[in-house]
Amino acid sequence: MTAHRTVPVTIRAMESSNAPGGTGGGRREATRQKLYEAAVTLIAEQGFSATTVDEIAERAGVAKGTVYYNFASKSVLFEELLRHGVGLLTASLREAADRSAEGGGSRVDALDAMIRAGLVFIDRYPSFTQLYVAELWRTNRAWQSTLMVVRQEAVAVVEKVLREGVEADELSDEIDIGLTASALVGMVLVAALDWKAFQPERSLDDVHSALSRLLQGRVSGNR
Amino acid sequence: MTAHRTVPVTIRAMESSNAPGGTGGGRREATRQKLYEAAVTLIAEQGFSATTVDEIAERAGVAKGTVYYNFASKSVLFEELLRHGVGLLTASLREAADRSAEGGGSRVDALDAMIRAGLVFIDRYPSFTQLYVAELWRTNRAWQSTLMVVRQEAVAVVEKVLREGVEADELSDEIDIGLTASALVGMVLVAALDWKAFQPERSLDDVHSALSRLLQGRVSGNR
DNA sequence: AGTTTTGCACTGACCAGTCAGTTCAAAAAG
DNA sequence: CTTTTTGAACTGACTGGTCAGTGCAAAACT
């Protein structure tokens, strides 16, 4: 670390912490948001290494220095982007499960609601999803541990519902919770990415019903 | 970080008469194979852009010049690697489906056999799978069209079996062939990658039976 | 009030390092 | 002999990160 200013940055950092609800404006936060949006599309298209900081800055409409004013490094920007995005997904899944439970639905209904929530998320943030999938199983990367943590948070939501379903005898107690959760996530992920990539004109309901059918085993049973 | 510099490139030149297995000629082909293997692991770990040609050459145990003697460019090497790998997968899936059909199995049995074939493939070539998933939904990349072609070849095998299953009234005629195929592929892909990444000690049979159960809708029915 | 100071947020030219790709003479392999 | 590989030097473009400096709005001061 090189101290490149006569005045202590540490102190300033503390007093300049953006107030949570107060500043509706928040110039800094707005800039960071713009950088997230720029980075997410570029990295989804080209990958992390192939995307330059100059590109991100240009797309966001800020100077390169601004990127480094707001984030310690390119990797840190990406890592925080990852946390931000998966946080949104996890919250969305959790809300869908809870809402379904409150409405008195079964656990299978909750799973179905989560599938829909997943589709809605991917529909809204296709680039982020793309980027997430592309990075998830890589190794030897700086943000690997971060990725593990957020992945686990998201998968845990699905696993919880599966576990409750087994306990309530709605689901077979022979299923492998972890593997089934992975498989379900994969099902939604890949189907949705293919949807957005190759048939973006189809409706969400359409895709949802196809996956719903698969989930409830109404595939092998003939009409 | 690169610690493996055990010296003597000069000496290696003399002992380089390694003809593994002795493929009866094809020295060139053997070199290309070594380069494939080196490239696939490195790119799976780090991504295409973050992997340098020098690294690939070093890992393969050849000189940098050799890479460019055998491939026109880094991209071309990668593209041919992609074709090579997906070719193996497609052949494997097709064989599994055919063998199941010959054995007089139902279409659902064929699907199950393909799931197993997929798992076997991923078990044998985890790095390739990883790399494939990471690149599949990217856009604006040089090898995009190549990727589309090979993807379609692989998915078509699954779709064909689904179509036959519908015609034979084994599967509901309300299923969406394309979407269901995507979903099945995603199910296997993600479950298998998670398996290799987080629980590599589990047996293939174990994973297969979990996915089999999901396929045949034996999840929501209680024991 | 008007004037000066403060310091946050941002800028963009610049630097030091990296990498794909080239070249080529010479050696090894067959 | 021909084909293939070697290995090292070299180039030229590109990139992550830096830093001295700018603009401006709120605070401090008179």
Side-chain angles (χ1 to χ4, degrees):
Chain A
M1 263 302 182
T2 36
H4 53 275
R5 237 187 215 274
T6 47
V7 186
V9 183
T10 29
I11 293 176
R12 205 159 295 150
M14 293 171 66
E15 55 189 55
S16 75
S17 310
N18 40 2
T23 56
R27 184 146 85 112
R28 192 122 189 271
E29 201 48 48
T31 302
R32 291 171 70 100
Q33 190 63 35
K34 280 196 295 183
L35 285 170
Y36 280 157
E37 278 162 26
V40 86
T41 51
L42 287 168
I43 297 179
E45 283 173 6
Q46 308 174 328
F48 176 82
S49 304
T51 301
T52 69
V53 175
D54 287 283
E55 279 177 315
I56 297 174
E58 190 189 342
R59 173 81 67 107
V62 301
K64 187 178 187 177
T66 305
V67 176
Y68 286 93
Y69 180 77
N70 284 280
F71 299 95
S73 69
K74 186 187 172 189
S75 306
V76 169
L77 161 58
F78 184 57
E79 229 168 305
E80 298 198 10
L81 169 61
L82 237 30
R83 251 192 286 269
H84 182 69
V86 180
L88 289 179
L89 172 62
T90 305
S92 174
L93 289 179
R94 207 169 271 146
E95 191 199 287
D98 290 350
R99 194 196 305 247
S100 169
E102 285 171 18
S106 68
R107 290 300 114 177
V108 176
D109 288 336
L111 280 177
D112 200 62
M114 288 168 72
I115 287 178
R116 170 166 279 267
L119 290 175
V120 169
F121 181 86
I122 297 173
D123 187 33
R124 177 140 37 200
Y125 310 106
S127 293
F128 178 82
T129 309
Q130 209 174 308
L131 157 174
Y132 177 74
V133 170
E135 293 295 334
L136 186 53
W137 295 283
R138 286 216 204 293
T139 50
N140 296 347
R141 305 237 80 176
W143 51 82
Q144 250 265 293
S145 57
T146 300
L147 214 40
M148 293 290 64
V149 173
V150 293
R151 183 203 93 101
Q152 192 47 44
E153 283 174 13
V155 171
V157 182
V158 180
E159 290 181 342
K160 181 173 175 236
V161 174
L162 284 175
R163 204 169 290 114
E164 291 170 353
V166 171
E167 282 166 12
D169 253 10
E170 274 183 59
L171 302 178
S172 163
D173 63 356
E174 287 183 358
I175 68 170
D176 183 303
I177 304 276
L179 249 170
T180 306
S182 286
L184 287 176
V185 169
M187 189 182 91
V188 176
L189 220 49
V190 173
L193 284 173
D194 275 11
W195 161 40
K196 297 313 281 183
F198 310 126
Q199 306 183 308
E201 73 283 359
R202 295 187 62 165
S203 76
L204 196 151
D205 283 324
D206 205 11
V207 178
H208 180 217
S209 68
L211 295 182
S212 232
R213 188 170 287 121
L214 201 50
L215 169 71
Q216 286 164 12
R218 281 187 279 121
V219 171
S220 43
N222 26 8
R223 67 240 141 109
Chain B
M1 266 246 290
T2 36
H4 37 281
R5 180 166 304 269
T6 356
V7 177
V9 194
T10 8
I11 295 177
R12 204 192 340 98
M14 301 175 66
E15 65 187 62
S16 77
S17 50
N18 58 340
T23 46
R27 184 152 75 110
R28 193 119 190 269
E29 201 48 48
T31 302
R32 292 170 68 100
Q33 190 65 35
K34 280 197 294 184
L35 285 170
Y36 281 157
E37 277 162 27
V40 84
T41 51
L42 287 168
I43 296 179
E45 283 173 5
Q46 307 174 329
F48 175 82
S49 306
T51 302
T52 69
V53 174
D54 289 284
E55 277 177 317
I56 296 173
E58 189 189 340
R59 171 81 68 108
V62 302
K64 186 179 183 179
T66 305
V67 176
Y68 284 93
Y69 181 77
N70 284 281
F71 298 96
S73 69
K74 185 187 175 188
S75 305
V76 168
L77 162 58
F78 183 58
E79 226 167 308
E80 297 197 11
L81 169 61
L82 237 29
R83 253 193 286 270
H84 182 69
V86 180
L88 289 179
L89 172 62
T90 305
S92 174
L93 289 179
R94 207 168 271 146
E95 190 199 290
D98 291 349
R99 194 197 307 248
S100 170
E102 285 169 18
S106 68
R107 291 299 113 178
V108 176
D109 289 335
L111 279 177
D112 200 62
M114 289 167 72
I115 287 178
R116 169 166 280 267
L119 289 176
V120 169
F121 181 86
I122 297 173
D123 189 32
R124 177 140 37 200
Y125 310 106
S127 292
F128 178 81
T129 310
Q130 210 173 306
L131 159 173
Y132 177 74
V133 170
E135 292 294 335
L136 185 54
W137 295 283
R138 285 213 201 296
T139 51
N140 296 347
R141 305 238 78 174
W143 50 80
Q144 249 266 288
S145 59
T146 300
L147 214 40
M148 291 291 64
V149 173
V150 293
R151 183 203 94 103
Q152 192 47 44
E153 284 173 13
V155 171
V157 182
V158 180
E159 290 181 342
K160 180 172 176 241
V161 174
L162 284 175
R163 205 169 288 116
E164 292 169 352
V166 171
E167 282 166 12
D169 253 10
E170 272 183 59
L171 302 178
S172 162
D173 62 356
E174 287 183 358
I175 68 170
D176 182 303
I177 304 276
L179 248 170
T180 306
S182 286
L184 287 176
V185 169
M187 191 182 88
V188 176
L189 219 50
V190 172
L193 284 172
D194 275 12
W195 162 39
K196 298 312 280 184
F198 310 124
Q199 305 182 307
E201 73 283 359
R202 295 187 62 164
S203 76
L204 196 150
D205 283 325
D206 205 11
V207 177
H208 180 218
S209 68
L211 295 183
S212 234
R213 187 170 287 120
L214 201 49
L215 170 72
Q216 287 163 13
R218 282 188 278 120
V219 171
S220 42
N222 24 8
R223 67 248 146 98

